[in-house]
Amino acid sequence: MSGRKKPAQKKRKEVLIIGGGIMGTSIALELARHGLAVTVLEKSVPGAEASSAAAGILGPEVEAETEGPFVDLCRRSRQLYPSWAKSLYKETSIDVGFRTRGVLQVENDANTHRALLKRRKFQLAQGRAERLTKKGLVELEPGLSKSLPGGVYFPQGAHITPDLLFRATHIAAERAGVAFKSGAYVKRIQVSQDGDQRKAEAVVLDDGSQLKADHVIVAAGSWTPLIEGLPLAKSAVVPARGQLVALRTPSPCIQRVLFALDCYLIPRDDGRLLIGSTLEFVGYKKGVTAESIQHLLEVAIRAVPALAQAELDGAWSNFRPWTKDHLPLLGRTDIDGLILASGHYRNGILLAPITAETVRKLVLGQRLGFDLTPFLPTRNRELGAKSQKSA
């Protein structure tokens, strides 16, 4: 028998993720798939906040007024969705509702329609959008009001069912070995300092206990500013309340996501239809108001008259992590071992795949393949730190 000793197994890198929504869970799954030991800390129940109450629109073009790094990032993420949805189905047998039927945008009169065409001129010229006449609009979506003057169609647009997406991602993450700790209220990031070098040493919970890791990733959404020890101004991320209402019809009234007048409508295969959303800065106050729901219903019925006979299926509100420049906080901070993945505002579901991939590459020291500089948490003084270049 040989007296040689077996080589010691290399210790896996340990990662703590603060936030158990779709962002934190997606990152956890990606890291676990690549051999890291991952623990997710969630103050309540994973997925209980914005992730399960989101709309699920995958259409960056419809809200983009100009081209730029953010739209490029959104498109990169949408390109990952077909394979992501397929892998989640393979791992969990859950169809996450990924549908590539395009997105429509309409206005209610000739003047606003002309203004819409003017705003979308660059996308129409690029071939990313198509102009629809009044006749063409009704041919594409017969359920729309015959009085609408026309619209713009974004054929690459898609949508997903957020609660199914989160359920599949959570199950896949658990099966990959991710540990989820519910009721884990993170008080602060424990930071050590050696000369000019600062290092994220541990996460301190509200009961005083500490959890150590090689990397700490903050994916806490609207609750990010409540964590002490982050190199961010308190105003860097602000909760933006959005109210939504769901209707139910015997069969779908429309097939595509519709941005109509002053709301958006998202069809589900089972006849449900989501209508959203408001934008309110009311702190962390949840609530559904009669005025907001009335407005959403009035606008939706004007665009799709058959909805007047639909059954109410529920209403709710959620908080979206808003930043002043509407860009996410994504990347390394000036504290070693601390990465932020927050501030995705309206696009958390859309940006989940690219965010997970980006964080994995940062943790493993891999090449990103694009410039992360516009999204770095250190991008300007107002966010609480001096500017730095992407790794």
Side-chain angles (χ1 to χ4, degrees), residues 104-117 119-120 137 145 147-152 258-263 299 302-303:
L104 274 172
Q105 187 171 22
V106 299
E107 293 292 346
N108 64 345
D109 59 45
N111 289 333
T112 53
H113 177 62
R114 281 194 292 270
L116 170 62
L117 293 177
R119 291 202 313 274
R120 301 303 177 196
L137 185 63
S145 171
S147 66
L148 295 173
V152 175
L258 176 68
F259 280 72
L261 318 182
D262 192 25
C263 72
V299 176
R302 199 183 314 158

Side-chain angles (χ1 to χ4, degrees), residues 44-221:
S44 56
V45 177
E49 299 295 347
S51 298
S52 58
I57 301 171
L58 309 177
E61 292 87 1
V62 74
E63 293 191 273
E65 298 298 331
T66 59
E67 293 292 325
F70 180 64
V71 178
D72 290 342
L73 185 72
C74 290
R75 289 190 184 124
R76 282 176 176 269
S77 197
R78 186 175 57 194
Q79 289 171 358
L80 297 174
Y81 252 100
S83 60
W84 197 35
K86 187 175 181 179
S87 66
L88 287 172
Y89 182 78
K90 185 177 180 180
E91 294 171 32
T92 67
S93 298
I94 296 175
D95 176 2
V96 298
F98 177 61
R99 305 290 182 263
T100 55
R101 296 171 182 160
V103 175
L104 274 172
Q105 187 171 22
V106 299
E107 293 292 346
N108 64 345
D109 59 45
N111 289 333
T112 53
H113 177 62
R114 281 194 292 270
L116 170 62
L117 293 177
K118 186 176 180 180
R119 291 202 313 274
R120 301 303 177 196
K121 185 177 180 179
F122 74 100
Q123 292 162 323
L124 291 165
Q126 292 174 341
R128 296 187 182 277
E130 300 172 11
R131 179 179 178 178
L132 294 178
T133 63
K134 186 174 185 177
K135 180 181 178 182
L137 185 63
V138 176
E139 287 177 350
L140 191 65
E141 286 287 359
L144 295 182
S145 171
K146 305 302 185 289
S147 66
L148 295 173
V152 175
Y153 177 49
F154 302 89
Q156 295 178 318
H159 61 280
I160 200 125
T161 306
D163 56 339
L164 296 178
L165 176 67
F166 177 77
R167 191 184 312 166
T169 307
H170 185 264
I171 291 172
E174 284 191 323
R175 291 178 179 174
V178 175
F180 287 86
K181 292 184 179 294
S182 298
Y185 287 79
V186 174
K187 184 177 181 181
R188 72 176 184 275
I189 308 295
Q190 187 71 35
V191 178
S192 64
Q193 186 149 0
D194 183 7
D196 292 334
Q197 186 72 22
R198 294 191 294 168
K199 173 76 170 67
E201 270 194 342
V203 166
V204 181
L205 303 183
D206 64 344
D207 62 2
S209 62
Q210 293 188 13
L211 301 173
K212 293 190 175 183
D214 299 293
H215 295 273
V216 176
I217 298 162
V218 178

Side-chain angles (χ1 to χ4, degrees), residues 193-323:
Q193 186 149 0
D194 183 7
D196 292 334
Q197 186 72 22
R198 294 191 294 168
K199 173 76 170 67
E201 270 194 342
V203 166
V204 181
L205 303 183
D206 64 344
D207 62 2
S209 62
Q210 293 188 13
L211 301 173
K212 293 190 175 183
D214 299 293
H215 295 273
V216 176
I217 298 162
V218 178
S222 295
W223 284 264
T224 298
L226 303 183
I227 301 171
E228 298 174 15
L230 294 180
L232 287 175
K234 291 293 184 182
S235 60
V237 180
V238 177
R241 187 174 76 179
Q243 299 183 46
L244 299 94
V245 60
L247 302 179
R248 185 175 292 277
T249 57
S251 60
C253 292
I254 56 174
Q255 298 296 320
R256 296 160 183 82
V257 172
L258 176 68
F259 280 72
L261 318 182
D262 192 25
C263 72
Y264 55 73
L265 294 81
I266 305 147
R268 300 291 187 229
D269 292 344
D270 61 359
R272 286 183 305 141
L273 185 85
L274 269 60
I275 307 168
S277 169
T278 62
L279 174 61
E280 305 160 77
F281 295 100
V282 293
Y284 292 95
K285 181 181 178 182
K286 282 191 174 182
V288 175
T289 63
E291 181 180 29
S292 293
I293 298 304
Q294 180 187 27
H295 172 72
L296 291 174
L297 289 173
E298 286 179 348
V299 176
I301 292 170
R302 199 183 314 158
V304 186
L307 292 178
Q309 302 304 315
E311 295 181 8
L312 284 170
D313 196 50
W316 61 91
S317 67
N318 62 12
F319 296 116
R320 294 159 296 188
W322 180 91
T323 63

